[in-house]
Amino acid sequence: MTPTLRGRIQTRLIMLTVVGVGWLVLAGPYLPLAGPRQGVYSAGFATLGLTAAIGVGWEVVYHGFQQLRWDKDWPTIYGLILGTLEGCVVYQFISRDVPWQLNGIEPLPFIWQFGSVWVVIWIVVNGPLRVLFPRWRFLGGEFW
């Protein structure tokens, strides 16, 4: 079944919270970072938070474009490709001087952090999630 808008938003938020935070905690110290090591988690969590906030609006736009297709869905690989576009939008917000005093993030560390989180979430959604939660697909991607 094609995910509903509510299902897409729920899946995005749960995956960013569970998988994104988990991956950031495990892999964060090993990702390249310009500057002191304590910035790994502050920059990473700020990126995850912005990705969640921007992503909800992004899902509404994405869902609207899906309605133009006859089957109301995109090939799975488009979800991976759209990560590039979403990453560009998130980077535009996170690379500026912002209230949480990150004073901008260099492009390479951002690409590694955002890209690795995006790929890990994409793999989990298209593999283990479908095995561990078989009803998830039939509920339109909704968890509750």
Side-chain angles (χ1 to χ4, degrees), residues 62-84:
Y62 182 73
H63 187 75
F65 280 117
Q66 274 185 308
Q67 301 311 305
L68 301 175
R69 292 183 47 91
W70 69 273
D71 62 349
K72 308 290 189 250
D73 200 6
W74 298 104
T76 304
I77 193 71
Y78 283 13
L80 188 60
I81 294 169
L82 282 173
T84 306

Side-chain angles (χ1 to χ4, degrees), residues 109-129:
F110 175 81
I111 290 169
W112 275 102
Q113 191 269 327
F114 183 88
S116 68
V117 168
W118 190 267
V119 169
V120 168
I121 288 175
W122 185 79
I123 289 170
V124 169
V125 166
N126 290 295
L129 185 67

Side-chain angles (χ1 to χ4, degrees), residues 37-136:
R37 296 305 302 171
Q38 71 267 18
V40 171
Y41 293 117
S42 62
F45 287 125
T47 301
L48 284 178
L50 269 174
T51 302
I54 292 170
V56 171
W58 191 269
E59 289 295 347
V60 173
V61 171
Y62 182 73
H63 187 75
F65 280 117
Q66 274 185 308
Q67 301 311 305
L68 301 175
R69 292 183 47 91
W70 69 273
D71 62 349
K72 308 290 189 250
D73 200 6
W74 298 104
T76 304
I77 193 71
Y78 283 13
L80 188 60
I81 294 169
L82 282 173
T84 306
L85 296 174
E86 187 169 342
C88 291
V89 172
V90 171
Y91 185 71
Q92 290 305 310
F93 281 94
I94 202 82
S95 66
R96 303 182 194 301
D97 290 334
V98 289
W100 47 84
Q101 299 301 318
L102 291 175
N103 296 325
I105 297 177
E106 296 296 320
L108 183 61
F110 175 81
I111 290 169
W112 275 102
Q113 191 269 327
F114 183 88
S116 68
V117 168
W118 190 267
V119 169
V120 168
I121 288 175
W122 185 79
I123 289 170
V124 169
V125 166
N126 290 295
L129 185 67
R130 295 176 187 217
V131 173
L132 297 174
F133 299 98
R135 303 273 315 142
W136 169 80

